[in-house]
Amino acid sequence: MENDFFDLFKVVFAASDSDRLRVFSLRHKVYCEELGYEPIDAKNRVERDEFDDRSLHCLIEHRATGLSAGCMRIVFPDTHNRPGYGLPIEEHCGEHGVKIELDPKIRSEGLCEISRVAIPSHFRSSRVEEAEVDGFGEFVFSQQERRFFPMIGVSLFLCATAFTGLIERFHVLAMMENRFQRLLARSGIRFSQVSQPIHFRGERAAFYIDQRYAEDGMRGSILPLYRSIQDELSRQLLEKGSVPGVLSSQALCKILL
């Protein structure tokens, strides 16, 4: 599976300004134009917020076309001048009066959040009639390629699992629908629900996983793909170096060498 997936897609650690712009442009297409979750930015066509400057960003790119097939970010806590961890998931739950029930032993320096997972419509379906939008039809995507489209969402969480292990942020939060949590569980990535459901872009709840248990619990069928993603992100982290406001070059070297 991993060779076939990597023949079609590549993983990009979006550390440069140009790659981060690709992330923000993809998020605008999905969150603003397709789903209407955020207001349209008619001038710049980008979607970004105050959490992006303390996040690591990742892209999945379709090799044959160079199209962005998906993205996600890992947000780091900011406890300066604010209660709690200063993560987006806290804001969403707090606005609904819902508390996130985490083990009090978990400290901010070991915590992070997966958020802004975005996959454009032409990569969200493996069916021909649903994939033929915005000019992307059979002449771009073969039926063989479409068989791997459902793996894009899982691969983004594999990227997040690899990232959080490499940077030793083992305690991971995510706001998810139950159906996606069940999809991840079929791959052996089993999040635990740590809040009551809220109505936020559908019914969602806060979920938690320990990255180390996520690795240990992965199914054998998905593990080779995960190891390939892990190796590629490790290489890119060393190659691309520091991320302003998130990780210094010295910290990366200490973690990865």
Side-chain angles (χ1 to χ4, degrees):
M1 179 198 301
E2 77 278 9
N3 289 334
D4 291 335
F5 187 86
F6 270 92
D7 284 344
L8 298 174
F9 299 98
K10 68 178 179 179
V11 173
V12 179
F13 168 36
S16 68
D17 289 342
S18 59
D19 281 339
R20 284 162 65 93
L21 181 59
R22 291 176 65 195
V23 168
F24 302 147
S25 297
L26 176 61
R27 280 169 29 185
H28 188 275
K29 179 174 181 59
V30 175
Y31 279 78
C32 306
E33 299 174 31
E34 293 180 2
L35 302 176
Y37 289 160
E38 301 290 341
I40 296 281
D41 177 356
K43 180 180 179 181
N44 299 309
R45 317 300 286 187
V46 297
E47 191 281 312
R48 59 178 304 172
D49 62 24
E50 69 273 21
F51 300 104
D52 285 315
D53 288 337
R54 49 184 169 92
S55 300
L56 294 178
H57 300 269
C58 189
L59 274 169
I60 302 292
E61 179 184 302
H62 184 245
R63 290 184 184 274
T65 62
L67 293 169
S68 299
C71 66
M72 66 88 192
R73 71 180 179 188
I74 299 169
V75 188
F76 295 85
D78 176 15
T79 56
H80 298 297
N81 300 317
R82 68 174 76 194
Y85 299 109
L87 292 170
I89 199 167
E90 288 182 295
E91 290 193 2
H92 304 324
C93 289
E95 288 170 358
H96 291 79
V98 169
K99 186 178 179 181
I100 298 173
E101 301 288 347
L102 277 184
D103 187 326
K105 295 178 183 177
I106 295 175
R107 313 302 299 174
S108 61
E109 57 267 21
L111 186 67
C112 61
E113 178 186 346
I114 304 168
S115 76
R116 284 302 197 264
V117 176
I119 301 170
S121 60
H122 43 273
F123 284 108
R124 287 202 298 268
S125 175
S126 58
R127 295 191 301 183
V128 174
E129 64 272 19
E130 291 186 17
E132 292 182 359
V133 297
D134 292 341
F136 304 115
E138 288 183 273
F139 62 94
V140 171
F141 306 129
S142 68
Q143 192 60 48
Q144 175 69 12
E145 286 178 303
R146 290 194 187 92
R147 289 180 52 243
F148 287 90
F149 286 6
M151 284 299 301
I152 295 171
V154 173
S155 71
L156 288 168
F157 271 78
L158 293 179
C159 288
T161 304
F163 253 142
T164 53
L166 289 167
I167 62 177
E168 299 181 352
R169 290 273 179 164
F170 299 121
H171 302 288
V172 184
L173 288 166
M175 181 71 75
M176 290 189 289
E177 295 176 297
N178 265 307
R179 64 182 181 85
F180 192 69
Q181 181 268 335
R182 290 193 295 270
L183 173 64
L184 292 173
R186 288 203 292 272
S187 300
I189 306 172
R190 294 182 173 84
F191 280 78
S192 300
Q193 188 170 328
V194 290
S195 82
Q196 294 298 313
I198 63 172
H199 189 75
F200 174 71
R201 299 168 181 169
E203 188 174 277
R204 299 170 187 260
F207 286 86
Y208 163 82
I209 197 168
D210 185 315
Q211 187 272 349
R212 294 160 292 192
Y213 296 150
E215 279 195 343
D216 290 343
M218 272 185 205
R219 295 192 183 280
S221 58
I222 207 79
L223 197 55
L225 176 60
Y226 172 70
R227 293 303 182 195
S228 295
I229 289 173
Q230 186 182 50
D231 290 345
E232 180 59 23
L233 287 177
S234 177
R235 182 190 67 78
Q236 291 188 40
L237 275 167
L238 282 173
E239 178 185 286
K240 298 180 181 182
S242 63
V243 182
V246 179
L247 291 174
S248 66
S249 297
Q250 293 87 346
L252 280 172
C253 288
K254 181 180 177 182
I255 290 166
L256 297 173
L257 293 180

